[in-house]
Amino acid sequence: MYLQTARIAVILIPRRSLSFLLSHPLHQRRCFFSSSVPSLTVRRSDRLFYFKERRIFTKATKKHKQLNTSIEEKDYSHIIWWKERMQLCRKPSSVMLVKRVTYSNLLGVDTGLKNGSLKEGTLNWEMLQFKSRFPREVLLCRVGEFYEAIGVDACILVEYAGLNPFGGIRSDSIPRAGCPVVNLRQTLDDLTRNGFSVCIVEEVQGPTQARSRKSRFISGHAYPGSPYVFGLVGDDHDLEFPDPMPVVGISRSAKGYCMVSVLETMKTYSAVDGLTEEALVTKLRTCRCHHLFLHTSLRHNSSGTCRWGEFGEGGLLWGECNARQFEWFEGYPVNELLFKVKELYGFADDITFRNVTVTSDNRPCPLHLGTATQIGALPTEGIPCLLNMLLPSNCTGLPAMYIRDLLLNPPAYDIASTIQEACKLMSNITCSIPEFTCIPSAKLVKLLESRETNHIEFCKIKSLLDDISLLYKNSELKEILKLLMNPAWVATGLKVELETLVNECKSISCRICEIIFLDGEHDQKMSSYTTVPNEFFEDMESSWKGRVKRIHLEEEYAEVDEAAKALSVTIQEDFVPIISRIRATTAPLGGPKGEILYSREHEAVWFKGKRFVPSVWAGTPGEEQIKQLRPALDAKGKKVGEEWFTSKKVEDALTRYHEAGNKAKAKVLELLRGLSTELQIKINILVFASMLLVIGKALFSHVSEGRRRKWIFPTITQRHRSEDAEILRGADGMKITGLWPYWFDAAQGGAVRNTVDMRSLFLLTGPNGGGKSSLLRSICAAALLGICGFMVPAESAIIPHFDSIMLHMKSYDSPADGKSSFQIEMSEIRSIIAGATSNSLVLIDEICRGTETAKGTCIAGSIIETLDAIGCLGVVSTHLHGIFDLPLRMKNAVFKSMGTECIDNQTMPTWRLIDGICKESLAFETAQREGVPEALIQRADELYLSVYSKDKITKIESKLKQYRPSRLEKEPPPLNQSLKLSEILCKEVENAVVGICGKSVNDFFVKKDISEPQAMRCVLIGPREQPPPSTIGASSVYLMLRSDRKIYVGETDDLEGRVRAHRLKEGTQNASFLYFLVPGKSMACQLETLLINQLSTRGFHLTNIADGKHRNFGTSELLGKEMMAR
C-alpha cells in the first residue's frame, strides 16, 4: 500500500493571494493547485488555516470568520476553474451575464444584486450547500415546473444549452436561467455533450404546509457518457446510453507509458503498462475521457521525444494532451487516481473498484497511430475503412466497437485461436441463431444500482438471458458458447464457469418472468365504460398497467375497478340526464349545448356546455342535476373556464379513482425497484452475459460478411521457445496466396490477386501507381485480421502471430510542434526500430522521401540494414534507386518489384508482385494521366535526357549474388421466443414440403449423376432468430409462417436480408420461417412455383397463391412432369 510521505506542507501567501490567483493566466497557474500538496497550512496576515488530511480547522478572529462564510481556502481552485470557463463564453447574452458574476463564492452570486441574498434559509443558500458538495458540476434545482440555475451555472446554460436568461439581460439582478421540466433531458444532453457534469436537485413531491419551503434532495447526476436516470422506472420508453467516458491517468515507468482508465459507473479500472508514445496516442484518440490526469513522472522524460511543462511544448503525446483539459497528480498512479475519482463523483471512502486488467505476456503490442489510420482501423479521410469491410452495414453499435477495439489491441495467441475456431463453427452451422440482444454493461449497472430499471429494460434483460439459454440448448450453438467464454473473460475481467452462467441466467430469467408482464399476456386491459371517454382511462392507467403481472396487484386492481365503476355510475347519474335533456331540446339557432369530455390537462372528466340552464324551472328531467353542477376548478383552486362544470359526487368519485390509481402505480414502482434490488447481486453475471452476446453478434456478423466477400480463415502459427535454449522457434514465414486489397469485393470481381511468400525483409520497387502502397496496406490488414482470429481477403494464408504490426506511410509536417514532415517520419521510424523484434511485421512505404536524395538514400540503406539484422518480416518500398549502389550489409533481404508490361508501345503496371528490381517510375505517364499540361511534361522529358541519358546503368545482377534469395519450404495447406406458431403447424408444413419437393430434388441429383445425394432438410427460424451464415450466397426456398396461420412462399440467394425485410412489415414482425437449401437459383424458382401450386391444394392458406400462375422462369421438363403427375 502506498503511503504519502509529506502530509503537511506550509505555504505563505500574501494578502493579495486570492486576487493573484483569480487574475493569473491559465498557462501560468495550471499546476498551482496540485495534489502534490495533499495537506497544507496557509498563513495569511493575522489568519491561520490548517489543512490536514483533507479536513479543515480554522483559527480566526470574529471578523475573519464572517468573511470565511462566503469563501473558503479549499474553494479557491474550484473558483479559478469556473472563472476559466466564464472566460470561454462567447455568446453576447452569456457575456453580459458573466459581467454580473462575482468570484466570492462557488455560485458566483453577487449578494449586492437583486435576488442575490445568500442568507440561511433562502433558496440561494440551499443551492450553495448543494454546490459545495459537487463544486465543479453545473447545479440545476427543481422549482415548480422549472429547473433553475444561478450565477456561473446560469451562464453555462445560456452559452451551451441555448437557453435564454430569466428577466432578459437586465443588469440589476443576478444571472438566472433554466428550462421547463419537459426539456430537462435535452438540456442535460447539451451540457454533457460539451463536457460538463450536472448535479440535479429535485423537490420532495407531496402536499406541503402553507408558506413553507419544499424539501429538496440530490436526485442524481449527469456526466458525459453517463446520463441522468431518475424517474426512468416509471417511464414507458427506453433511454439511449452513450459510450461510457472514463477518467484517465497517464504516467511513465521503466517499461514505457502507463494508462489507467477508471469507469465510475462500472466501479472498475484497468492499467496498461509498457505502451509506446504512438500506441498511447492511439488509445487517447479512440477514448473520449471525462477527466484527464497527467502524472508528474511525465515531466522528467529523458527520451527526448516529449518535452513537458517548463521545458517547452513538443512531441506527439504532448500535442495530444495539450489540446485537452488536464490536471497534474503525483504519488502511486493507480491509488491516487482512484482517490481522485472518489472525490470527483462524491463516492464514500469504502467504495471499492474492481481491476479488470487481464495481463498476458504474449499479447501483441497495440497498433501505432500511423498504422491504425493508414488501414482505416480509425476513420481517416481518403483511406478505406477496414471496419466497414468486416461487418455488414446494419451491424453497428456495441458489436462494431468490440471489433474495432480488438483490431487496435490484438489479442493473445490463445484468444485469437479461440475466436477463429468459434468463427469457423459459426460459418458451418445449419440451425437458426438468436438475435443476440445487446445491452451496454454500463447501462445495466447504473439502472440496477439506482433502482430505476423499468419494465422495458427488464424485458430486454430477459431476452438477453434467454439468448444464452438458447445457445446452450442447441448442440451446434453450445460449442460456440463454450468458445466465447474466454474472449468474454478478457473483455470483462470476470471469470465465470459455463454451468454457473447458464444456471444463473435461467434463474434470473424465471424471476423476471414471475414479476414482469410479458408480451402475449392479455389480462390487463384498460377500464372501459360508455359514459366515460376511453382516452381518460387510457391516460390514467397506461402509466402502471402492462408492467408487472396482475397476480401481484389483485387488491389494487380491485380498488381501481371499483373506483372506475363508481365514477361511471356517478357520471351516469349527474351528467347523462343533462345530456338527454339537451338532446331532447330543439332550437333552430343558439340552442343549448353540452357533452361529457376528458380534460387531459387537469386529468378529469367534466361536463362542458352552454345555454343549458332553463329559464323557467318546471321540474322536468335533468333540472335537479343542473342545480347540482358547479364550476370546475384546477389544482390551485382557480376556475377552469366558463363552460366546464362538475358536481360534488363526480369530484369525489374522481378523487377516489385517482387515489386508487396512485396506489396501484406506487405498488408497481415498488415491485420494479424491488426486482432491481434483487438483481444487484447478479450484476457480474449480467455484465458477463451481455458482453458474451456482444462478442457473439460481432463474430456472427463478421462471418456473414466474410462469406459474402469470399474471404477465408488463415492458419495462425505461433513461435515457441525451444526446450534447450531460450530461442524462439517455429514457423518463420508468412505466405498469403491470392491476396487482394481488403476494400475490393471479390464477389464483384476486378481485383488483382498477389501471392506474398515472405521469410525475410522485402525491398520493394515499382512505378508510380504500380500498387506498392496498396500491397503494403493489404499485407498489413491481412496480417492484423489473422492475428485477431478473423477472416482475410485471400485464397489461402499462413500468418505468424506477430508481436507487433507496424505500418508507416506518408508523413505530414506538424507546425504546432515545429516539426517538418521528415522530422515526423524520423520520429516514427525511431519508434518502429525501437519496437521491432524478430517476430514483428514492419511495413514502410517510400522511405526517406522527405529530404535530399543522397543523404536520404544513405539513411534508408542504414534502416534496411538494421531491420535485416533484427530479422523481422516486412516490406520497405522505395523510389531511391541509389540504394542498390550502396555497399549494404544484408543477409536475408530480397528484392521484389511491382510488375509492368508493354501495351501498344506503352509501359503499363500489372499490379502484380514479382522478383527483381524495377527502376521505371512512369512519372511522366502518371503526370500526363492526371492532366498536367503536355508542354510541361515535354520540357521535363528534355531536362531528364540532358542530365541522365549518359549515366551508366548499374548492373544489379552481379550484386544480387551478395544476398541470399528467398526460398520457402513447402508450407502446410491452410486449415481449410415472442409469439410462436404451434409446433403442429410447423410439422404439418414441413411434412408437406418434403412430400412435394423431395422427389424433385432426388430426381435432380440422379440426373446430375451425384452418387451420394444429400437428404432434403428443412430448418426452422423462430420469431427471435435469424438464418445462420451458411445461407450466405446459397440458393434457398423459404416459407414464412405468419401468426394468422397463413403462409408465404419465396426463394432467394440472400435469406438473411429477405427475413429482415419481411419482419419490417406490419403484422410479420414475429413471423417464423422454414427453409431448405437447393443447388442453384433455377432449381429454387422451380420448387417455389411447385410449392405455391401444391400447398393450396393440401388445405394450406397462401398469401401469394397468384404468383404460381406467373412463374415460368427456369421451368424444366422434370418439374413439368412432376406437376402433371400431381
Side-chain angles (χ1 to χ4, degrees):
M1 183 180 292
Y2 173 78
L3 297 176
Q4 288 187 342
T5 57
R7 298 299 296 177
I8 300 179
V10 179
I11 298 178
L12 296 178
I13 303 179
R15 288 180 179 272
R16 297 183 61 197
S17 60
L18 178 58
S19 60
F20 163 76
L21 291 172
L22 297 180
S23 61
H24 226 328
L26 171 61
H27 67 276
Q28 296 183 15
R29 51 181 161 82
R30 184 186 289 273
C31 311
F32 193 89
F33 288 97
S34 172
S35 58
S36 59
V37 188
S39 63
L40 52 88
T41 304
V42 180
R43 184 173 183 175
R44 208 174 176 190
S45 176
D46 54 344
R47 290 188 289 164
L48 190 64
F49 296 86
Y50 293 92
F51 291 73
K52 187 173 182 180
E53 296 184 359
R54 307 184 188 271
R55 296 183 180 179
I56 304 174
F57 303 89
T58 304
K59 285 184 180 181
T61 62
K62 182 177 180 180
K63 176 180 178 182
H64 290 98
K65 275 187 176 181
Q66 184 178 359
L67 290 174
N68 197 42
T69 58
S70 59
I71 183 170
E72 300 179 7
E73 297 286 345
K74 67 181 180 66
D75 296 332
Y76 286 169
S77 61
H78 304 308
I79 294 176
I80 292 172
W81 189 86
W82 279 112
K83 183 177 182 183
E84 293 169 359
R85 300 303 167 289
M86 295 299 101
Q87 292 171 348
L88 297 175
C89 292
R90 293 293 179 266
K91 287 185 177 180
S93 54
S94 56
V95 170
M96 293 294 294
L97 295 180
V98 170
K99 293 179 180 179
R100 304 204 299 273
V101 169
T102 181
Y103 302 103
S104 59
N105 54 73
L106 286 172
L107 289 173
V109 170
D110 186 347
T111 57
L113 294 177
K114 185 179 179 180
N115 300 321
S117 174
L118 290 175
K119 291 183 179 180
E120 184 173 352
T122 62
L123 177 59
N124 291 355
W125 175 84
E126 190 176 2
M127 295 173 71
L128 181 60
Q129 309 310 306
F130 291 125
K131 186 77 170 180
S132 63
R133 293 180 58 185
F134 300 96
R136 294 199 182 184
E137 296 185 14
V138 177
L139 184 73
L140 290 181
C141 184
R142 176 76 176 265
V143 182
E145 295 302 313
F146 278 82
Y147 287 94
E148 295 187 7
I150 61 176
V152 294
D153 298 329
C155 298
I156 295 298
L157 287 184
V158 174
E159 177 71 18
Y160 296 101
L163 301 177
N164 294 322
F166 289 168
I169 56 174
R170 53 188 298 179
S171 59
D172 61 340
S173 177
I174 63 172
R176 295 175 64 234
C179 68
V181 171
V182 293
N183 293 342
L184 175 63
R185 192 71 60 189
Q186 180 62 49
T187 301
L188 295 178
D189 290 343
D190 291 336
L191 294 175
T192 54
R193 191 183 306 115
N194 285 281
F196 290 97
S197 300
V198 188
C199 175
I200 300 94
V201 175
E202 290 281 354
E203 292 179 335
V204 176
Q205 299 299 315
T208 58
Q209 296 181 356
R211 305 183 64 85
S212 64
R213 185 178 297 279
K214 285 190 175 182
S215 299
R216 292 181 172 84
F217 63 99
I218 295 178
S219 57
H221 304 263
Y223 305 116
S226 181
Y228 179 61
V229 298
F230 179 79
L232 185 64
V233 65
D235 288 347
D236 58 352
H237 61 81
D238 191 11
L239 177 64
E240 291 295 329
F241 260 60
D243 297 330
M245 296 176 61
V247 175
V248 173
I250 299 174
S251 61
R252 188 170 177 84
S253 66
K255 295 181 179 180
Y257 290 99
C258 177
M259 179 175 173
V260 182
S261 299
V262 185
L263 285 173
E264 57 88 18
T265 304
M266 304 291 295
K267 307 296 187 300
T268 59
Y269 73 92
S270 61
V272 183
D273 204 353
L275 295 172
T276 63
E277 181 184 2
E278 288 79 4
L280 178 57
V281 171
T282 304
K283 286 183 173 292
L284 288 175
R285 289 277 177 92
T286 58
C287 169
R288 293 181 60 226
C289 59
H290 186 194
H291 291 279
L292 177 62
F293 291 92
L294 304 181
H295 195 264
T296 52
S297 58
L298 295 172
R299 290 174 169 169
H300 311 301
N301 183 5
S302 59
S303 67
T305 60
C306 298
R307 300 182 297 277
W308 292 87
E310 60 268 28
F311 303 110
E313 296 184 351
L316 185 62
L317 180 57
W318 170 246
E320 184 70 24
C321 295
N322 197 40
R324 306 166 181 246
Q325 294 290 336
F326 67 85
E327 297 180 37
W328 292 97
F329 76 113
E330 66 177 7
Y332 182 63
V334 173
N335 290 354
E336 280 300 310
L337 191 63
L338 292 178
F339 180 81
K340 287 190 171 295
V341 169
K342 291 179 181 180
E343 281 189 331
L344 283 170
Y345 296 103
F347 292 150
D349 292 337
D350 59 349
I351 294 294
T352 59
F353 287 79
R354 179 171 57 88
N355 185 0
V356 297
T357 309
V358 178
T359 58
S360 178
D361 295 335
N362 64 346
R363 183 165 187 170
C365 298
L367 291 193
H368 286 187
L369 181 62
T371 307
T373 54
Q374 287 301 322
I375 62 172
L378 291 179
T380 306
E381 185 178 359
I383 306 297
C385 181
L386 179 59
L387 194 61
N388 291 345
M389 312 302 163
L390 293 179
L391 300 171
S393 58
N394 63 340
C395 182
T396 58
L398 295 174
M401 293 292 291
Y402 174 78
I403 297 293
R404 188 202 69 175
D405 290 344
L406 207 62
L407 293 174
L408 297 177
N409 304 277
Y413 174 78
D414 54 345
I415 299 299
S417 300
T418 301
I419 289 175
Q420 187 185 86
E421 187 178 354
C423 288
K424 288 180 178 179
L425 291 178
M426 293 174 180
S427 179
N428 296 321
I429 64 169
T430 58
C431 63
S432 59
I433 59 178
E435 287 188 340
F436 292 99
T437 304
C438 296
I439 305 176
S441 298
K443 182 178 184 179
L444 281 173
V445 173
K446 183 158 187 175
L447 290 180
L448 290 176
E449 288 190 345
S450 60
R451 301 172 71 235
E452 293 290 342
T453 314
N454 61 21
H455 64 293
I456 296 176
E457 294 302 328
F458 277 122
C459 289
K460 287 187 176 181
I461 294 174
K462 186 179 185 303
S463 296
L464 181 152
L465 301 170
D466 291 343
D467 286 346
I468 296 290
S469 299
L470 179 59
L471 291 173
Y472 185 78
K473 291 176 182 178
N474 186 285
S475 58
E476 289 185 274
L477 300 178
K478 183 177 180 179
E479 297 303 315
I480 296 174
L481 177 62
K482 292 179 181 178
L483 293 172
L484 295 180
M485 296 295 287
N486 278 344
W489 160 57
V490 173
T492 62
L494 295 167
K495 193 70 173 178
V496 180
E497 296 298 329
L498 177 60
E499 295 299 328
T500 302
L501 173 66
V502 174
N503 292 335
E504 291 287 359
C505 286
K506 290 180 180 178
S507 173
I508 300 171
S509 178
C510 290
R511 182 55 183 157
I512 294 176
C513 190
E514 291 173 0
I515 301 295
I516 301 300
F517 178 86
L518 303 175
D519 290 341
E521 300 179 11
H522 305 285
D523 61 346
Q524 299 197 28
K525 296 182 179 179
M526 304 298 168
S527 301
S528 178
Y529 293 92
T530 57
T531 56
V532 182
N534 288 331
E535 296 85 354
F536 171 74
F537 288 125
E538 181 73 24
D539 287 355
M540 297 302 102
E541 298 178 7
S542 62
S543 62
W544 57 273
K545 280 187 177 179
R547 284 162 166 74
V548 301
K549 281 187 165 51
R550 179 164 182 161
I551 190 174
H552 305 290
L553 297 166
E554 290 295 353
E555 181 181 345
E556 288 75 12
Y557 265 92
E559 292 184 14
V560 172
D561 290 344
E562 292 176 4
K565 183 177 181 181
L567 176 61
S568 173
V569 171
T570 303
I571 291 176
Q572 177 74 32
E573 294 174 351
D574 285 12
F575 291 166
V576 172
I578 303 176
I579 300 297
S580 301
R581 175 187 175 87
I582 292 174
R583 291 175 179 174
T585 304
T586 58
L589 293 173
K593 294 182 178 181
E595 55 185 335
I596 301 171
L597 293 178
Y598 164 44
S599 175
R600 180 172 277 104
E601 180 183 357
H602 303 287
E603 298 182 348
V605 176
W606 291 328
F607 171 77
K608 184 178 182 181
K610 56 184 178 181
R611 297 187 298 274
F612 58 87
V613 179
S615 56
V616 177
W617 300 93
T620 56
E623 290 187 8
E624 188 65 31
Q625 286 77 12
I626 294 175
K627 294 178 181 179
Q628 295 176 5
L629 293 181
R630 61 186 185 184
L633 306 178
D634 60 16
K636 297 181 179 180
K638 294 183 179 180
K639 190 175 179 180
V640 174
E642 296 297 330
E643 299 180 358
W644 290 95
F645 299 90
T646 184
S647 69
K648 184 178 184 304
K649 289 169 58 180
V650 169
E651 288 302 299
D652 291 343
L654 280 171
T655 301
R656 177 187 173 186
Y657 176 77
H658 283 307
E659 289 177 350
N662 291 336
K663 181 180 177 181
K665 184 175 182 179
K667 181 66 173 181
V668 168
L669 298 183
E670 179 186 347
L671 289 168
L672 291 174
R673 289 196 166 103
L675 185 56
S676 291
T677 303
E678 289 184 46
L679 298 191
Q680 285 178 9
I681 60 175
K682 307 292 186 180
I683 281 181
N684 285 350
I685 291 293
L686 294 175
V687 168
F688 188 89
S690 173
M691 179 52 66
L692 188 145
L693 289 181
V694 168
I695 297 173
K697 183 170 185 177
L699 298 186
F700 264 111
S701 300
H702 166 61
V703 170
S704 298
E705 185 66 11
R707 285 178 60 98
R708 191 190 69 79
R709 290 179 173 272
K710 303 187 184 303
W711 290 10
I712 56 94
F713 290 104
T715 300
I716 311 174
T717 61
Q718 182 187 27
R719 293 190 175 187
H720 55 275
R721 294 187 180 276
S722 64
E723 297 179 359
D724 55 350
E726 289 294 312
I727 301 175
L728 287 172
R729 298 188 182 279
D732 297 323
M734 175 174 66
K735 184 175 182 179
I736 307 177
T737 303
L739 172 70
W740 68 85
Y742 63 86
W743 56 92
F744 277 84
D745 193 339
Q748 299 177 1
V752 175
R753 306 193 179 200
N754 276 296
T755 295
V756 179
D757 201 346
M758 184 184 298
R759 278 189 175 272
S760 62
L761 191 70
F762 285 0
L763 185 55
L764 180 64
T765 53
N768 290 305
K772 298 188 299 299
S773 299
S774 294
L775 180 64
L776 265 64
R777 280 196 179 94
S778 301
I779 294 174
C780 181
L784 177 60
L785 294 173
I787 69 172
C788 290
F790 298 145
M791 303 174 77
V792 301
E795 296 172 359
S796 67
I798 301 173
I799 300 174
H801 193 262
F802 296 107
D803 60 9
S804 62
I805 296 177
M806 293 173 281
L807 170 66
H808 169 74
M809 304 290 284
K810 55 188 176 181
S811 298
Y812 295 100
D813 63 340
S814 178
D817 297 330
K819 289 189 175 184
S820 67
S821 60
F822 184 67
Q823 286 178 293
I824 297 293
E825 181 182 12
M826 289 299 100
S827 176
E828 293 187 13
I829 294 295
R830 173 201 56 77
S831 179
I832 289 175
I833 295 295
T837 69
S838 60
N839 196 30
S840 300
L841 178 65
V842 177
L843 305 160
I844 303 176
D845 188 33
E846 297 193 21
I847 189 173
C848 295
R849 61 181 175 180
T851 189
E852 60 102 353
T853 305
K855 293 183 179 179
T857 301
C858 295
I859 294 175
S862 179
I863 292 172
I864 293 169
E865 284 185 344
T866 303
L867 293 175
D868 181 72
I870 291 173
C872 62
L873 299 184
V875 180
V876 177
S877 71
T878 183
H879 282 296
L880 300 176
H881 301 148
I883 288 179
F884 303 110
D885 298 327
L886 299 177
L888 299 180
R889 296 190 294 269
M890 297 190 303
K891 299 180 181 179
N892 303 302
V894 296
F895 299 132
K896 296 285 184 178
S897 66
M898 302 305 295
T900 59
E901 60 183 356
C902 186
I903 301 176
D904 297 333
N905 295 323
Q906 289 188 346
T907 303
M908 301 295 292
T910 63
W911 301 288
R912 296 191 181 278
L913 180 67
I914 60 174
D915 294 330
I917 298 172
C918 177
K919 290 191 174 182
E920 176 56 67
S921 68
L922 298 182
F924 295 158
E925 291 82 354
T926 302
Q928 188 175 24
R929 284 198 303 269
E930 295 301 319
V932 175
E934 185 67 28
L936 191 152
I937 295 176
Q938 291 179 358
R939 177 56 180 162
D941 190 26
E942 294 172 2
L943 294 175
Y944 178 80
L945 293 175
S946 67
V947 176
Y948 298 104
S949 61
K950 298 181 180 180
D951 286 358
K952 295 182 179 180
I953 302 176
T954 306
K955 294 184 179 180
I956 302 301
E957 290 77 6
S958 61
K959 288 186 173 288
L960 291 176
K961 297 179 181 178
Q962 304 175 31
Y963 313 115
R964 291 194 296 183
S966 169
R967 295 179 181 176
L968 290 177
E969 301 175 359
K970 290 186 178 180
E971 302 287 353
L975 294 177
N976 295 342
Q977 266 158 340
S978 312
L979 296 176
K980 294 185 177 180
L981 288 173
S982 68
E983 295 182 2
I984 298 176
L985 175 62
C986 294
K987 196 64 179 177
E988 289 175 352
V989 173
E990 181 178 357
N991 292 336
V993 170
V994 173
I996 294 171
C997 301
K999 187 176 184 302
S1000 299
V1001 174
N1002 289 334
D1003 291 346
F1004 174 83
F1005 286 120
V1006 171
K1007 185 176 181 180
K1008 296 295 183 179
D1009 196 24
I1010 298 177
S1011 58
E1012 296 182 1
Q1014 297 179 352
M1016 180 177 170
R1017 181 190 176 194
C1018 294
V1019 180
L1020 176 66
I1021 304 174
R1024 292 186 57 253
E1025 298 174 354
Q1026 51 188 319
S1030 58
T1031 62
I1032 300 293
S1035 297
S1036 63
V1037 179
Y1038 68 93
L1039 297 89
M1040 181 174 67
L1041 312 178
R1042 302 186 352 171
S1043 58
D1044 57 3
R1045 300 180 67 87
K1046 292 184 179 180
I1047 301 172
Y1048 177 93
V1049 181
E1051 62 80 25
T1052 181
D1053 287 341
D1054 180 16
L1055 184 59
E1056 181 185 4
R1058 190 65 64 88
V1059 169
R1060 190 186 315 117
H1062 278 301
R1063 285 178 173 167
L1064 289 175
K1065 297 178 181 179
E1066 186 68 23
T1068 59
Q1069 294 90 337
N1070 295 316
S1072 297
F1073 292 81
L1074 201 67
Y1075 78 92
F1076 59 95
L1077 300 180
V1078 296
K1081 188 173 183 66
S1082 178
M1083 184 72 174
C1085 291
Q1086 297 171 29
L1087 295 179
E1088 176 196 18
T1089 304
L1090 182 61
L1091 285 174
I1092 292 175
N1093 290 323
Q1094 291 297 314
L1095 284 176
S1096 58
T1097 64
R1098 299 196 178 196
F1100 295 100
H1101 299 284
L1102 270 64
T1103 61
N1104 62 331
I1105 190 170
D1107 292 349
K1109 302 176 182 178
H1110 307 288
R1111 298 296 177 92
N1112 298 316
F1113 170 77
T1115 302
S1116 65
E1117 181 182 356
L1118 176 66
L1119 181 60
K1121 292 180 179 179
E1122 183 69 18
M1123 293 178 66
M1124 291 296 294
R1126 295 181 183 275

